[in-house]
Amino acid sequence: MKTFCGRANPATGALDWVEESEEYDYHQEIARSCYADMLHDHDRNEKYYQGIRAAVSRVKARGEKVIVLDIGTGTGLLSMMAVTAGADYCYAVEVFQPMAAAALQIVERNGFADKIKIINKHSTEVTVGLDGDMQTRANVLITELFDTELIGEGALPSYEHAHLNLVQEGCEAVPHRATVYAQLVESEQLWSWAQLQPVEVDGRKLLPPPAVGGCAGAHSVCDIQLSQVPPDRFTPLGPRCTMFSVEFSKPVSSAPQSHSSRFTAQSSGRAQVVLSWWDIDMDPSGSIMCSMAPSWTYPDPGSSPWRDHWMQSVYFLPVERKVVKGEELSLTVNHDDYSLWYSIQTVRNESTKLMPCCVCQAHLVWTRPRFGELNDRRRTQSYVNALRSVVKAESVCLGVSDGSLLPVFAHMLGAKKVLLFNCVWSLFAKVGGVQILGIRPDQLSSTDLDGEQISVLMGEPYFSTSLLPWHSLFFWYCRTSLARLLAPDATILPCSATLNMVAVEFRDLWRIRAPCGTCEGFDVGPMDEMKSLDFHESREAEPHPLWEYPCRALTQSKAVMNFDFLQCVPAQPISSKGSIPLIRRGRCHGVALWMDYQLNDDITVSMGLTKPVSDEGVCEWSLHRKQGVYFFRSPWEGSGDEGASISYTFTFEPSIGDIKMDFTVDSSN
């Protein structure tokens, strides 16, 4: 049996369904999961171990045998902790078959096969009885069912079912309790990810269409490393509020609920965004606590644990509203069995329990960073300046991007005719002078242009199907298919692009690819030995928003490939080889990759570094685009003065529009 997987095809701008082996799905699930990150999360593991020891001791103190149910066991780590702590028997449930198989190997390797039973089922399918999966109900419930939003992985329904069917009344649960916190803030940076702001072009203000400006947006959570949003990027309008708690040792309900917290506004401003996180108490006393709070809530921010499997949440209010210092407000969180959403109101007004819903389509098509990109005034000005230099009264302009404002800018700058492809969705479909083409670029004919030629071909470029930075080279393919319709002196904007690289040492992100080895005294080597972690896509570059993941450059940044949009896409592959010296001491975990676009001879827009690398190697990355990261299989340790360098080979394959790459570290020693 074969598996078909969607892959971005930069040559067509679409998702191609590629046939892979039947093992593809779960190899990729493991290779790109957070299992390694969780195993490297010492704070999480240590707190779980402490909580498990305490729960086992409480049951033993009652003179009972300790029967453990571990839901979502993953590698079996928590089950092994329970047996080591004195549990008599453990039922470890894991629905994902490859991980269940890995857990079985790990349990056997550590000598616990006689006390831990791996059950490869969803917990709601587990049976209890003489012929069941479990001989008897458990009196200790251990779970790790949480995501950044706490309940997004179906924790509430799973707990609800477990209490009804799988555990004894009055069981001990680890964790014992979860508590959700929230804070109302004003933040220009964060709010720019939610709503399209007015744009000024040559003194004229372009307002978002009413359908967009009045849209409540998408209800889905925005999960980010909130520690990387410094406190000077937002203004707290109220205190950090305790919104609600769930005790897992008692029956849990998955029914929709609403919780409110009243407070006095501590600052005047615009209520726009709710920052949210949670913590878990591993025992009833609250003495063993694992917190997801961002680093800036800690007295010593450097002491906060890093994790990528659990981050923090950003929720955007349906509409912003003015808040006056001293005003009495009520912050309300509603949740169903999988999602949370927030609203703010005065204490006199009743809160709404309706989930926000996008009606303008923009919030369904554009990502949050894409909203931020469109709201970036400096970036917008770069495009406007470039367009101003080429758009004339007689210009025929064609836009090639998804949901771009460039055609609207060209119209405002006085172009005679402006057209754009309705590749995904046209935001300003009713703007006069802009014609929407409901066809693909390769289908455009002279008739569609009324016999005229294109004098300005423009793009950002941005395409919703793009995953890696170079996938936006689809713009080049569009330019090639339109070559027959271009005027001899046509302007191509951008005129070229460069692929850039820099070798980096990550502060934390390396953990998601690092071997696990021994975790809290248990051998989890079978995770490292799984061929999934060496599967072909795990050896390719992968997209990451590097502004969330601090890194230090160990080399200078370097342009390694150039793409000339003034020419058509070549028929033959393009290759680039070279080397770049390692000039700073550190552990080289891999390379970061991004694209820069040259709009004209004077203006360049970067999708990666926003300023040159500092003398210390500090990198500042664009907030709007994901960069590519190629992780080395093993990090390289260097002093920065031994003459080491990284050799690279890049090959652009025109037939598929993708870039293949290879790196080696060369040392003179």
Side-chain angles (χ1 to χ4, degrees):
M1 177 176 152
K2 294 290 185 179
T3 298
F4 290 88
C5 300
R7 279 193 172 189
N9 186 335
T12 64
L15 284 176
D16 286 349
W17 292 98
V18 180
E19 187 179 273
E20 299 281 0
S21 72
E22 61 183 353
E23 300 177 331
Y24 178 87
D25 273 349
Y26 69 74
H27 283 314
Q28 289 310 290
E29 182 71 19
I30 294 171
R32 297 199 169 172
S33 68
C34 291
Y35 287 114
D37 177 27
M38 288 188 284
L39 293 172
H40 285 292
D41 187 348
H42 176 68
D43 179 71
R44 162 196 176 270
N45 300 336
E46 181 182 47
K47 300 295 176 53
Y48 260 101
Y49 211 167
Q50 293 174 2
I52 288 169
R53 290 193 190 101
V56 170
S57 296
R58 289 194 297 272
V59 174
K60 282 187 170 295
R62 298 198 295 261
E64 303 175 19
K65 280 190 172 183
V66 180
I67 307 299
V68 174
L69 172 62
D70 176 8
I71 300 178
T73 194
T75 59
L77 176 66
L78 303 185
S79 291
M80 293 188 295
M81 289 179 177
V83 173
T84 303
D88 295 281
Y89 201 78
C90 185
Y91 297 101
V93 180
E94 175 56 54
V95 67
F96 187 41
Q97 191 277 328
M99 281 311 305
L104 185 61
Q105 292 182 49
I106 292 171
V107 165
E108 290 175 347
R109 179 174 294 191
N110 286 273
F112 295 113
D114 60 333
K115 287 200 170 184
I116 299 176
K117 179 182 180 180
I118 305 297
I119 302 173
N120 181 207
K121 289 184 176 181
H122 193 283
S123 64
T124 57
E125 299 173 342
V126 171
T127 57
V128 179
L130 294 178
D131 298 322
D133 300 306
M134 300 171 59
Q135 294 292 297
T136 184
R137 290 188 177 220
N139 52 15
V140 174
L141 175 60
I142 301 173
T143 60
E144 210 279 49
L145 299 171
F146 314 115
D147 68 348
T148 293
E149 203 173 14
L150 182 67
I151 65 173
E153 290 186 1
L156 296 181
S158 296
Y159 273 113
E160 185 175 46
H161 176 271
H163 276 285
L164 289 172
N165 301 281
L166 304 177
V167 299
Q168 300 174 19
E169 183 178 354
C171 74
E172 301 285 346
V174 182
H176 173 79
R177 179 192 306 111
T179 304
V180 174
Y181 304 91
Q183 186 168 32
L184 180 68
V185 304
E186 174 185 346
S187 172
E188 181 178 355
Q189 174 185 328
L190 297 177
W191 187 244
S192 74
W193 298 346
Q195 297 291 349
L196 196 62
Q197 306 300 316
V199 180
E200 191 166 300
V201 179
D202 282 0
R204 297 169 58 192
K205 185 169 288 188
L206 177 65
L207 299 175
V212 177
C215 181
H219 77 276
S220 56
V221 65
C222 176
D223 53 340
I224 64 172
Q225 291 283 356
L226 200 53
S227 296
Q228 298 309 310
V229 180
D232 62 4
R233 296 290 182 89
F234 60 88
T235 301
L237 302 180
R240 295 164 195 162
C241 301
T242 300
M243 299 307 300
F244 69 94
S245 294
V246 182
E247 288 200 10
F248 301 123
S249 298
K250 300 177 181 179
V252 172
S253 172
S254 63
Q257 294 186 34
S258 177
H259 309 272
S260 295
S261 179
R262 295 187 177 188
F263 62 91
T264 301
Q266 62 187 45
S267 301
S268 296
R270 294 171 296 161
Q272 299 169 325
V273 176
V274 176
L275 311 181
S276 183
W277 59 88
W278 48 268
D279 61 33
I280 43 179
D281 290 314
M282 295 299 181
D283 69 328
S285 70
S287 60
I288 309 169
M289 190 265 286
C290 185
S291 175
M292 305 314 122
S295 61
W296 35 259
T297 66
Y298 284 69
D300 175 16
S303 67
S304 64
W306 183 88
R307 39 187 149 243
D308 205 43
H309 54 103
W310 294 331
M311 293 186 281
Q312 295 81 39
S313 300
V314 173
Y315 297 90
F316 303 103
L317 296 178
V319 293
E320 65 176 352
R321 55 154 293 178
K322 290 184 178 179
V323 168
V324 178
K325 183 178 180 180
E327 185 178 4
E328 294 297 318
L329 298 172
S330 178
L331 181 63
T332 298
V333 60
N334 299 283
H335 71 80
D336 53 21
D337 49 352
Y338 283 90
S339 302
L340 282 74
W341 61 97
Y342 283 84
S343 61
I344 186 75
Q345 56 280 322
T346 62
V347 295
R348 297 183 299 275
N349 296 335
E350 186 176 346
S351 65
T352 176
K353 297 184 180 181
L354 296 178
M355 179 184 294
C357 178
C358 174
V359 295
C360 72
Q361 299 183 44
H363 299 90
L364 304 180
V365 173
W366 290 341
T367 63
R368 267 72 183 245
R370 176 58 172 166
F371 272 95
E373 188 170 52
L374 293 171
N375 288 325
D376 186 330
R377 297 183 185 91
R378 180 178 298 180
R379 173 188 167 279
T380 294
Q381 195 59 51
S382 294
Y383 277 103
V384 170
N385 290 342
L387 283 172
R388 186 186 294 110
S389 66
V390 297
V391 170
K392 312 297 181 186
E394 67 276 8
S395 294
V396 176
C397 304
L398 177 62
V400 180
S401 289
D402 282 353
S404 173
L405 300 184
L406 298 193
V408 183
F409 298 161
H411 169 67
M412 296 176 71
L413 291 170
K416 178 179 71 174
K417 180 181 291 187
V418 182
L419 307 94
L420 73 152
F421 291 104
N422 190 17
C423 300
V424 174
W425 179 74
S426 174
L427 179 60
F428 288 86
K430 296 183 179 180
V431 173
V434 178
Q435 180 183 343
I436 311 302
L437 300 169
I439 56 177
R440 301 192 309 269
D442 59 350
Q443 296 174 320
L444 189 69
S445 68
S446 180
T447 303
D448 298 309
L449 299 173
D450 297 326
E452 297 183 284
Q453 291 182 305
I454 300 166
S455 52
V456 178
L457 179 65
M458 55 194 170
E460 299 196 37
Y462 169 84
F463 302 98
S464 60
T465 55
S466 298
L467 300 176
L468 289 161
W470 45 92
H471 288 172
S472 288
L473 287 174
F474 177 54
F475 175 82
W476 200 10
Y477 288 84
C478 293
R479 177 259 181 269
T480 301
S481 67
L482 294 165
R484 69 194 187 284
L485 301 174
L486 297 176
D489 59 348
T491 296
I492 311 297
L493 190 157
C495 59
S496 65
T498 55
L499 175 66
N500 303 272
M501 68 166 277
V502 63
V504 296
E505 174 186 51
F506 284 109
R507 190 173 73 191
D508 299 297
L509 189 63
W510 59 270
R511 302 172 198 270
I512 70 172
R513 294 290 168 266
C516 304
T518 300
C519 179
E520 307 304 323
F522 301 98
D523 182 356
V524 293
M527 273 291 296
D528 302 330
E529 298 160 12
M530 294 179 75
K531 65 179 180 178
S532 302
L533 300 180
D534 196 37
F535 201 53
H536 67 83
E537 274 202 357
S538 68
R539 301 196 302 271
E540 297 177 0
E542 52 191 80
H544 290 283
L546 291 185
W547 73 269
E548 293 187 56
Y549 303 107
C551 61
R552 191 170 63 90
L554 302 183
T555 67
Q556 299 291 2
S557 61
K558 184 176 182 179
V560 293
M561 291 196 85
N562 184 71
F563 308 94
D564 185 2
F565 298 157
L566 300 182
Q567 307 298 321
C568 292
V569 176
Q572 301 302 317
I574 304 173
S575 293
S576 173
K577 295 183 179 181
S579 64
I580 184 170
L582 287 151
I583 59 174
R584 297 183 183 90
R585 178 186 299 272
R587 292 186 91 209
C588 186
H589 295 112
V591 298
L593 303 141
W594 70 97
M595 300 287 284
D596 287 345
Y597 293 97
Q598 288 74 48
L599 305 188
N600 56 30
D601 292 341
D602 303 316
I603 302 175
T604 298
V605 176
S606 178
M607 304 297 135
L609 290 174
T610 58
K611 60 176 61 175
V613 174
S614 75
D615 293 340
E616 295 76 26
V618 176
C619 302
E620 293 189 22
W621 299 97
S622 168
L623 301 177
H624 311 315
R625 298 282 181 114
K626 291 183 178 180
Q627 292 72 43
V629 178
Y630 186 101
F631 289 98
F632 294 161
R633 296 190 187 184
S634 299
W636 186 83
E637 298 272 3
S639 64
D641 56 6
E642 69 282 324
S645 63
I646 294 178
S647 296
Y648 59 81
T649 301
F650 291 92
T651 302
F652 171 68
E653 298 283 355
S655 60
I656 59 174
D658 214 348
I659 296 176
K660 302 300 181 184
M661 60 196 70
D662 188 48
F663 303 93
T664 57
V665 179
D666 302 317
S667 176
S668 60
N669 296 335

